[in-house]
Amino acid sequence: MKKFRGIYLKNDNEITLLREAGRIVAAILEELRIQVAPGVTTMEFENLALDLCEKYKVKPAFKGYLGYPFALCCSVNEEVVHGFPSGRVLVEGDLVSFDMGVVYKGFYGDSALTVPVGRVDARAEELLSVTRTSLFEGIDQAKLGNDLYDISRAVQKYVEGRGFSVVRRFVGHGIGKHLHEKPEVPNFAPPGASRVPLQPGMVLAIEPMVTAGGPEVEVLSDKWTAVTKDRSLSAHFEHTVAVTKHGPVILSVRD
Ligand code: MF3
Ligand code: CO
């Protein structure tokens, strides 16, 4: 596979396979999303995700990755990312984030979204809309002539301009035949980073993690669950996006 400064550039055939992986991840997330309601446990979503992987004949990408024990990351309220599915029962007013990855014919798809459980308060609604829109602000910058960090700056500017914080401890990433490839895709302008001009064939998982309080996070004693240090609410949206000569193409959508 062709490389540019250590970053794999995908050809059209490879992008077609990544598109299929992304389509499947989007279908799975949609099926999870419509089951969100008060009274459902987070483990029910893990079981549904596993069933859907069988149905679509894909491998869950996260299970076993660096020892992660589940197919799905399920993070509630102050949990930012990498929450474990459990017997926890969702209640009205919660925010639940699903992060799902699959492998299809050796190619990875990765996407995440945050869903309100029943009615949520105004600040939670705003957090959802700001985080989701910041992802699309970032995606809009994933075009030729731009620098990788134009994506980062657009996300940060949108989020901070609305009084929310971007998490720095976790970042987006290149994706292809591996879940995590170069480059890192931060949701903030990395101080002193050199320019990385975007090239056709780069495929990036762009994934803003946003909080209603400060940007600091800590990892719980289970070694995975990342929570906001101040226990403020957090949201996470992610898409797998190809940089092409026709502009950004979101791969993790159904059609
Ligand atoms: N979307 C996340 C990421 O790209 C999910 C990874 S969970 C892990 O890092 F278990 F696979 F690490
Ligand atoms: Co990711």
Side-chain angles (χ1 to χ4, degrees):
M1 214 182 274
K2 213 167 94 185
K3 273 194 184 187
F4 174 82
R5 299 199 198 163
I7 301 167
Y8 287 113
L9 301 180
K10 286 82 182 178
N11 64 30
D12 289 352
N13 279 332
E14 292 159 336
I15 289 180
T16 299
L17 292 165
L18 287 164
R19 174 77 181 93
E20 197 48 41
R23 204 189 299 278
I24 293 167
V25 116
I28 293 173
L29 282 173
E30 174 62 12
E31 299 213 40
L32 298 178
R33 189 186 67 75
I34 63 180
Q35 296 302 326
V36 170
V40 183
T41 69
T42 59
M43 192 59 80
E44 293 177 64
F45 297 100
E46 166 73 8
N47 292 331
L48 181 52
L50 286 169
D51 287 349
L52 292 167
C53 282
E54 260 186 50
K55 170 174 157 190
Y56 291 113
K57 300 186 170 34
V58 291
K59 230 177 58 112
F62 301 162
K63 199 176 163 85
Y65 180 81
L66 301 173
Y68 185 77
F70 299 99
L72 183 69
C73 297
C74 195
S75 308
V76 181
N77 296 338
E78 76 283 358
E79 296 172 355
V80 179
V81 284
H82 305 161
F84 287 174
S86 73
R88 179 175 183 160
V89 178
L90 295 178
V91 302
E92 177 118 23
D94 282 347
L95 293 183
V96 60
S97 303
F98 298 127
D99 190 348
M100 182 70 193
V102 303
V103 198
Y104 171 78
K105 296 188 178 169
F107 287 82
Y108 284 75
D110 187 6
S111 184
L113 83 183
T114 303
V115 186
V117 182
R119 281 183 66 87
V120 301
D121 69 29
R123 182 79 177 156
E125 278 290 357
E126 195 186 358
L127 172 67
L128 286 182
S129 104
V130 165
T131 309
R132 189 169 183 283
T133 306
S134 77
L135 168 58
F136 288 99
E137 290 285 310
I139 291 171
D140 284 347
Q141 297 303 314
K143 57 188 184 196
L144 302 185
N146 269 358
D147 185 82
L148 174 67
Y149 301 115
D150 288 327
I151 299 171
S152 309
R153 271 186 288 273
V155 171
Q156 180 175 29
K157 181 165 174 242
Y158 188 83
V159 169
E160 293 181 352
R162 278 148 194 84
F164 293 84
S165 300
V166 289
V167 168
R168 285 150 173 78
R169 167 91 172 262
F170 301 99
V171 296
H173 49 94
I175 180 166
K177 285 189 167 190
H178 308 273
L179 176 59
H180 293 146
E181 297 183 356
K182 287 203 335 171
E184 289 196 348
V185 185
N187 299 300
F188 56 94
S194 53
R195 285 181 54 83
V196 181
L198 292 172
Q199 304 294 314
M202 285 183 177
V203 179
L204 306 171
I206 304 174
E207 50 178 319
M209 288 144 269
V210 174
T211 83
E216 299 83 12
V217 300
E218 60 190 32
V219 175
L220 300 183
S221 58
D222 63 16
K223 303 273 181 51
W224 280 99
T225 310
V227 298
T228 53
K229 212 163 211 168
D230 58 13
R231 301 300 188 264
S232 61
L233 278 183
S234 180
H236 178 207
F237 284 83
E238 174 177 23
H239 272 308
T240 299
V241 179
V243 178
T244 78
K245 59 178 193 279
H246 309 293
V249 176
I250 303 177
L251 303 179
S252 48
V253 286
R254 289 215 286 180
D255 32 59

